[in-house]
C-alpha cells in the first residue's frame, strides 16, 4: 500500500475565510428581513369588479406594477417603513394611500377606485381628434384599441404589433450594398448605420420587407426595439399606417395628460415627412 501524503495546510487563511463566509451568510437574510411585500387588489367602487390594468406606483420613485386580469398586484422587496402609493387607471379618479410595510411581512390591501366620468369624457374628445386625423390622412390605417391591448396575451408591445396586424419581423437591408454582378445595374439605396430602421426594425408585409418607423407619444423611437420595453397594456391606442411602415403608439399617461390641455394631434403625413422619410437616406 502506498503511503498517504499529507500536504501542509496554510492555517493562517482559514479563520478569515470562515469569518467572511459567516458574514455573507448572516448578511443576506438580515438584508432580506428588512424588506416586505405589498399584495393587493384594485376594484371598481360601484360594481366591485376587478380593474385591469390599474397602475400602482410606490413613493414616486419609478417603482410600479400593474394589476392582472383579476385586479391583483404584488410589489416585492419593499423597504420596511411607511410609503406613499398612487393607484390610477384610465377613466377612474386617482387614489393616494399610505402603506406601513413591516420587515419580513406581507401587507395585504384592497384599493377601491371611483369612476371619473368627466375625465373619461375629456379623453374621448382627444380620441375623436385622432379618428378625424386618421380619416384625412389618405393612407390605409388600422387601430388597436384599449380593450384589445389590455386583453392581449403577448408579453411585449412589439410582439403584439406584429401578431395583431399580421406582420412578421425580418432582417433589414444590409448596411452596405452587396457587390453588383454588372456595372450596368444601378446601385440600390441602403440604410445608413445611424438609421433607426437598421437591425431588427423591419417587417415582412405581403412578401416584401418594410422599414418600420415607430413613434411613441408623437416622438420618434428606436423602432420595434423600443416597443419591446413596453407591455401591450401600457398603451391606450396603437395605429399602423402604410401597411406597417409607420406605427403610432399612445401611452395611457399621454392620452390622460392631453385630456387636460389643448391638444391638436400632429397630422400623420407631417409626422412621416418629419420623423420617418428623412431617416431613410441613400448610401454614398
Amino acid at each position: 500500500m502506498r503511503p498517504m501524503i499529507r500536504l501542509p495546510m496554510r492555517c493562517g487563511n482559514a479563520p478569515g475565510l470562515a469569518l467572511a463566509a459567516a458574514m455573507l451568510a448572516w448578511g443576506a437574510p438580515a438584508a432580506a428581513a428588512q424588506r416586505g411585500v405589498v399584495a393587493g387588489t384594485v376594484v371598481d367602487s360601484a360594481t366591485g369588479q376587478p380593474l385591469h390594468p390599474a397602475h400602482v406606483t410606490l413613493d414616486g420613485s419609478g417603482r410600479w406594477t400593474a394589476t392582472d386580469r383579476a385586479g391583483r398586484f404584488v410589489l416585492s422587496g419593499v423597504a420596511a417603513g411607511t410609503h406613499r402609493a398612487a393607484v390610477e387607471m384610465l377613466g377612474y379618479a386617482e387614489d393616494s394611500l399610505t402603506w406601513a410595510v413591516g420587515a419580513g411581512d406581507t401587507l395585504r390591501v384592497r384599493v377601491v377606485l371611483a369612476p371619473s366620468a368627466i375625465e373619461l369624457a375629456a379623453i374621448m374628445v382627444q380620441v375623436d381628434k385622432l379618428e378625424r386625423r386618421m380619416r384625412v390622412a389618405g393612407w390605409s390605417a388600422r387601430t388597436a384599441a384599449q380593450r384589445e391591448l389590455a386583453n392581449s396575451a403577448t408579453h411585449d408591445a412589439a410582439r403584439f404589433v406584429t401578431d395583431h396586424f399580421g406582420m412578421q419581423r425580418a432582417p433589414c437591408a444590409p448596411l452596405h450594398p452587396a457587390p453588383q454582378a454588372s456595372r450596368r445595374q444601378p446601385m440600390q439605396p441602403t440604410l445608413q448605420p445611424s438609421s433607426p430602421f437598421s437591425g431588427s426594425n423591419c417587417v415582412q408585409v405581403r412578401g416584401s420587407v418594410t422599414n418600420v418607423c415607430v413613434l411613441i407619444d408623437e416622438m420618434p423611437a428606436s423602432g420595434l426595439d423600443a416597443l419591446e420595453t413596453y407591455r401591450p397594456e401600457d398603451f391606450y391606442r396603437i395605429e399602423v399606417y402604410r401597411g406597417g411602415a409607420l406605427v403610432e403608439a399612445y401611452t395611457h399617461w399621454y392620452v390622460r395628460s392631453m385630456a387636460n390641455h389643448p391638444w391638436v394631434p400632429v397630422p400623420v403625413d407631417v409626422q412621416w415627412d418629419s420623423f420617418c422619410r428623412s431617416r431613410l437616406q441613400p448610401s454614398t
Side-chain angles (χ1 to χ4, degrees), residues 8 17 26 29 67 84 96 119 123 165 180-181 186 189 207 276-277 284:
L17 293 175
W26 177 85
T67 58
R84 296 287 297 172
S96 296
E119 177 185 277
I123 289 172
F165 295 103
Q180 300 294 317
C276 302
R277 186 189 303 277
T284 56

Side-chain angles (χ1 to χ4, degrees), residues 172-176 188-199 201-202 211 279-283:
C172 295
L175 295 178
H176 302 287
Q188 297 297 324
T190 56
L191 302 177
Q192 295 300 306
S194 60
S195 170
F197 304 122
S198 60
N201 290 307
C202 290
N211 302 311
R279 302 192 180 204
L280 277 178
Q281 300 175 358
S283 61

Side-chain angles (χ1 to χ4, degrees), residues 153-269:
T154 55
H155 67 278
D156 66 69
R159 181 63 181 270
F160 174 87
V161 168
T162 55
D163 290 356
H164 185 81
F165 295 103
M167 301 184 293
Q168 181 179 358
R169 295 188 76 160
C172 295
L175 295 178
H176 302 287
Q180 300 294 317
S182 172
R183 292 188 177 182
R184 295 181 180 179
Q185 297 178 356
M187 297 289 286
Q188 297 297 324
T190 56
L191 302 177
Q192 295 300 306
S194 60
S195 170
F197 304 122
S198 60
S200 61
N201 290 307
C202 290
V203 296
Q204 188 171 9
V205 182
R206 297 173 184 172
S208 61
V209 175
T210 301
N211 302 311
V212 181
C213 178
V214 176
L215 304 177
I216 299 177
D217 294 339
E218 298 196 342
M219 292 298 295
S222 56
L224 292 171
D225 292 343
L227 291 179
E228 290 180 347
T229 64
Y230 291 85
R231 293 173 295 186
E233 59 263 32
D234 292 337
F235 291 107
Y236 180 80
R237 177 188 179 100
I238 293 180
E239 304 167 355
V240 172
Y241 295 88
R242 296 177 66 112
L246 172 62
V247 175
E248 272 271 25
Y250 291 92
T251 63
H252 292 276
W253 173 86
Y254 189 78
V255 173
R256 184 171 184 169
S257 62
M258 290 302 100
N260 301 320
H261 302 88
W263 173 54
V264 178
V266 178
V268 181
D269 54 347

Side-chain angles (χ1 to χ4, degrees), residues 56-214:
V56 182
T57 306
L58 197 63
D59 289 340
S61 62
R63 282 204 61 193
W64 68 277
T65 187
T67 58
D68 60 16
R69 289 176 176 78
R72 298 171 300 199
F73 70 91
V74 175
L75 281 167
S76 58
V78 178
T82 302
H83 297 269
R84 296 287 297 172
V87 182
E88 58 183 338
M89 180 172 170
L90 204 63
Y92 289 82
E94 179 180 334
D95 194 6
S96 296
L97 309 106
T98 302
W99 292 335
V101 181
D105 293 337
T106 297
L107 175 66
R108 302 193 180 276
V109 298
R110 186 173 186 267
V111 182
V112 179
L113 296 185
S116 177
I118 296 177
E119 177 185 277
L120 189 60
I123 289 172
M124 289 302 102
V125 171
Q126 306 305 332
V127 174
D128 183 61
K129 291 180 180 179
L130 292 176
E131 294 290 346
R132 293 199 301 270
R133 185 200 63 177
M134 289 179 63
R135 288 195 294 268
V136 301
W139 295 349
S140 60
R142 291 172 290 172
T143 304
Q146 181 184 6
R147 184 180 298 275
E148 297 170 299
L149 292 160
N151 293 332
S152 171
T154 55
H155 67 278
D156 66 69
R159 181 63 181 270
F160 174 87
V161 168
T162 55
D163 290 356
H164 185 81
F165 295 103
M167 301 184 293
Q168 181 179 358
R169 295 188 76 160
C172 295
L175 295 178
H176 302 287
Q180 300 294 317
S182 172
R183 292 188 177 182
R184 295 181 180 179
Q185 297 178 356
M187 297 289 286
Q188 297 297 324
T190 56
L191 302 177
Q192 295 300 306
S194 60
S195 170
F197 304 122
S198 60
S200 61
N201 290 307
C202 290
V203 296
Q204 188 171 9
V205 182
R206 297 173 184 172
S208 61
V209 175
T210 301
N211 302 311
V212 181
C213 178
V214 176

